[in-house]
Amino acid sequence: MFNAHPMVTRLAFVASDRPEAIEARGRLARRYGDTPETEAQVVVALGGDGFMLETLHRLMESGKPIYGMNRGSVGFLMNEYSEDDLLERINAAERALIHPLRMTAVDARGVMHKALAINEVSLLRQTRQTAKLRISVDGKVRLAELSCDGALVATPAGSTAYNLSAHGPIIPLDARVLALTPISAFRPRRWRGALLSHTARVTFEVMEADKRPVSAVADNFEVRDVTEVHVAEDRDVGMTMLFDAGRSLEERVLAEQFSA
């Protein structure tokens, strides 16, 4: 529980570019004060899930907890918006520690690109041509050829995002596993993906890369014309998200599995 930590009194407010988020930031800052991020104990992010991911990436090195309130279109990672009793809610909030995926992608020129992903690393075909991927786990080839629109590796926190849309499994936050999920698999048609240990190292090799170009995306960071992509969880990096008591991220992920 977050209330086991020092009492929070200093908040920094950040907002997306949506008018309702900007207006909310102004009202909350006037009511609770607006401490500079470097001095704040908690950063309050106002927007949708996309803005929460942006904020997590931007403050990744700071170690500051982030409490989101929904002023956007999608709010799975956000708390309900209310201007009342904000300090009390934050001091009673539950913590979720998130570890990202580290993507290392090599493009057709041999240039190496590195990025972190909180939700997922996805490989996507760039043209009408089906992508062909060879997939290895911990150095052993597990799927010699996957013809598909793409494939992704998702964290538990990201398992309810793109992974779920691609018919991948929802993963409890404490399961210590990753989801490897195909996107519109053509061959082998019946392969539905795999659950991997969180320590697994996944390698995608792009076959016929000149004819069938593929991009790699780590959350919102994209690399075009990749030939090889390596994905592994980075346990050395951790981000803390705060959720209202009784509405923890673990509870939301569990409830999603029973939603109609």
Side-chain angles (χ1 to χ4, degrees):
M1 293 290 293
F2 187 62
N3 57 13
H5 295 260
M7 184 70 67
V8 172
T9 58
R10 302 190 307 277
L11 305 177
F13 294 95
V14 294
S16 72
D17 58 5
R18 295 174 67 103
E20 57 266 43
I22 295 171
E23 292 169 5
R25 183 191 182 283
R27 291 193 300 271
L28 290 165
R30 287 191 294 272
R31 183 168 180 176
Y32 294 98
D34 190 13
T35 304
E37 283 185 3
T38 54
E39 301 172 19
Q41 294 165 283
V42 169
V43 174
V44 179
L46 303 164
D49 284 353
F51 184 68
M52 172 58 87
L53 289 176
E54 290 178 20
T55 306
L56 286 167
H57 276 283
R58 186 171 61 81
L59 298 178
M60 197 172 288
E61 303 295 330
S62 73
K64 291 185 182 295
I66 301 174
Y67 178 90
M69 284 201 290
N70 189 16
R71 291 282 84 186
S73 56
V74 180
F76 187 83
L77 299 176
M78 313 300 275
N79 296 287
E80 291 184 7
Y81 181 77
S82 173
E83 297 178 14
D84 297 328
D85 304 318
L86 182 56
L87 287 172
E88 289 80 358
R89 290 169 66 188
I90 289 175
N91 279 291
E94 300 179 32
R95 290 190 167 203
L97 180 62
I98 306 298
H99 295 290
L101 299 172
R102 182 171 293 279
M103 177 187 81
T104 302
V106 180
D107 67 22
R109 298 171 297 162
V111 178
M112 184 178 295
H113 307 263
K114 294 185 177 182
L116 294 174
I118 296 164
N119 272 356
E120 75 278 317
V121 171
S122 54
L123 279 75
L124 305 166
R125 66 184 177 104
Q126 294 178 194
T127 68
R128 59 183 176 79
Q129 294 282 359
T130 301
K132 286 189 177 182
L133 306 175
R134 178 181 292 116
I135 302 176
S136 301
V137 179
D138 294 328
K140 182 175 182 179
V141 175
R142 292 294 182 179
L143 200 56
E145 182 177 311
L146 173 65
S147 296
C148 56
D149 281 354
L152 62 85
V153 179
T155 66
S159 67
T160 57
Y162 191 9
N163 173 72
L164 181 59
S165 298
H167 307 292
I170 296 175
I171 306 172
L173 286 187
D174 59 356
R176 298 171 72 87
V177 297
L178 304 173
L180 171 59
T181 302
I183 302 170
S184 300
F186 177 70
R187 187 177 294 112
R189 194 179 300 274
R190 296 185 182 278
W191 189 64
R192 293 292 182 264
L195 289 174
L196 307 175
S197 167
H198 74 103
T199 63
R201 297 181 177 273
V202 182
T203 296
F204 299 95
E205 297 171 77
V206 180
M207 306 168 68
E208 303 176 30
D210 291 340
K211 179 182 178 182
R212 305 171 185 274
V214 169
S215 65
V217 183
D219 284 349
N220 59 355
F221 177 83
E222 182 179 20
V223 182
R224 306 281 287 182
D225 300 312
V226 297
T227 58
E228 191 173 306
V229 178
H230 305 271
V231 184
E233 186 183 64
D234 192 334
R235 300 291 292 185
D236 293 330
V237 179
M239 295 148 287
T240 301
M241 301 171 65
L242 302 179
F243 293 91
D244 288 334
R247 290 287 297 155
S248 68
L249 188 55
E250 291 92 337
E251 169 60 27
R252 295 174 191 213
V253 170
L254 180 60
E256 189 72 21
Q257 297 179 77
F258 293 92
S259 63

